[in-house]
Structures are given as structure tokens and as C-alpha cells.
Amino acid sequence: MTEGSPVPFRHARRVAFSETDLTGCLHFANLLRYFEEAEQALFRSLGIPMLWRRDDGVEQGWPRVSAACDLLLPIQLADELQIEVAIERLRPSSVMLQFTVFRREELVARGRLRLACIAARPGQPMRAAPIPEDMQQKFRALMA
Ligand SMILES: CC(C)(COP(=O)(O)OP(=O)(O)OC[C@H]1O[C@@H](n2cnc3c(N)ncnc32)[C@H](O)[C@@H]1OP(=O)(O)O)[C@@H](O)C(=O)NCCC(=O)NCCSC(=O)c1cc(O)c2ccccc2c1O
């Protein structure tokens, strides 16, 4: 790692039998579930909730607005994966997470999730809202 490059968050995952298809490979849709697991672990480690209620009763949270993945090599039953998560882009009301998946030293998959920060009054549709400053600081710390 070079000086000044982002520090990725790491999440370990072993492929379970129930996640494979007839060929014994990871069913592609499960890769997004792995990204979500790693994302949840990252948010927990930063102490950022996925859903919270402000004092004025407004609910805030992080709906995903965009998802993408590339499967580069077959991922198989019982493979032990390291999923690295980095903050690729931080904007006033959205954050882009970048995922890189390794099997030992081998790059097997990668992808992105974009989360919008929203606010919703009870009974009203959700709308984009600025990411609270304390949360922005926590994300920025990972980009340093
Ligand atoms: C999320 C939206 C309400 C945003 O629409 P809005 O018009 O208010 O704002 P913007 O269009 O400016 O978007 C804000 C922000 O996100 C970026 N963005 C939006 N869409 C995309 C996209 N398709 N691809 C890439 N980027 C996108 C946009 O560029 C802005 O970024 P900046 O920071 O650059 O300004 C609206 O998009 C919407 O309703 N989308 C549907 C989302 C959805 O249904 N997701 C899946 C399930 S819902 C969910 O997960 C969820 C989670 C919660 O934690 C909640 C908490 C409380 C209430 C509800 C929740 C909820 O439903």
C-alpha cells in the first residue's frame, strides 16, 4: 500500500453449499448479498446505523440506488473469500462503495454499490438528504 492510498475494510466469507448452483459455482446473485454483508460489517465497524429516527420524528437511512458486479473467475463451494470495501466517492447525499473480492491472492470479482442518504417523514415519500457531518467524517477517514 502506498502512502496516501485508501485503507480498505476487509470482510472474510466462505462460500456455503446453499449459495452454489448445479455446477458447484457461486450463483451470481449471491455476490450482491456478499457485498451487502461486507457493507453492513463496514457500517457496524464505523458505528453508522442503517436506519435512525431523528428527534423531530423524521426517519433516515441508506437505500441502495445503484448496484453492479463483475464476475472474473468462477467462485466455488467452500472457497474462502476476502471482500475488500473502499469508499470510492463521497458526495453530499450519496456514497459509492467499491468491492474487490480475492481468493487468496487471486482477484475473482469486483463491484460497486451506491447508497443515497434519505430522510422520510411518516407517510411521506423518501427524499435525498445531506449525509450528517459526523458520518461524512467517518467515511472520509477511510479515504485518507
Ligand atoms: C433515493 C431517492 C429518494 C433519491 O431521489 P431524490 O429525487 O430525492 O434525490 P436524487 O435523485 O438527487 O438522488 C440522491 C443521490 O443519489 C444519487 N442517485 C439516485 N439515484 C441514482 C441511481 N439510480 N444511480 C446512481 N446514483 C443515483 C444521486 O446522484 C444523488 O447523489 P448526490 O450525492 O450526488 O447528489 C430515489 O432515488 C429513490 O426513491 N430510489 C429508490 C431506492 C430504492 O427503492 N432502494 C431499494 C430499497 S428501499 C431501502 O433500501 C430503504 C432503506 C432505508 O434505510 C430506508 C429508511 C427510511 C425510509 C425508507 C428506507 C428505504 O426504503
Side-chain angles (χ1 to χ4, degrees):
M1 178 143 327
T2 57
E3 200 179 330
S5 64
V7 183
F9 175 83
R10 292 191 175 84
H11 177 70
R13 184 61 151 81
R14 191 185 287 277
V15 177
F17 181 73
S18 60
E19 295 164 341
T20 59
D21 61 17
L22 277 176
T23 69
C25 289
L26 178 74
H27 183 65
F28 74 95
N30 286 319
L31 189 58
L32 281 179
R33 294 185 192 280
Y34 287 5
F35 290 172
E36 186 183 14
E37 271 184 29
E39 168 218 80
Q40 299 286 300
L42 168 69
F43 273 57
R44 268 197 307 277
S45 80
L46 293 174
I48 297 181
M50 290 309 291
L51 183 65
W52 68 101
R53 189 186 293 266
R54 297 190 326 220
D55 291 344
D56 61 3
V58 169
E59 288 208 321
Q60 288 208 246
W62 302 99
R64 289 65 168 186
V65 291
S66 171
C69 57
D70 296 317
L71 292 129
L72 305 173
L73 287 173
I75 299 173
Q76 277 145 348
L77 174 64
D79 276 355
E80 207 174 312
L81 305 175
Q82 282 291 332
I83 305 169
E84 294 190 356
V85 193
I87 309 293
E88 184 176 317
R89 203 174 317 143
L90 181 62
R91 292 181 53 92
S93 58
S94 73
V95 59
M96 176 89 88
L97 304 181
Q98 184 185 66
F99 299 85
T100 318
V101 185
F102 293 95
R103 176 177 47 209
R104 292 178 292 278
E105 304 302 310
E106 199 173 32
L107 174 65
V108 291
R110 64 185 167 220
R112 289 190 171 88
L113 286 180
R114 187 157 177 183
L115 288 64
C117 182
I118 59 93
R121 293 194 177 278
Q124 299 289 312
M126 56 182 166
R127 284 280 165 253
I131 299 175
E133 182 54 37
D134 61 321
M135 298 184 190
Q136 286 195 37
Q137 278 176 19
K138 289 175 178 177
F139 288 134
R140 265 195 226 105
L142 282 187
M143 299 173 83

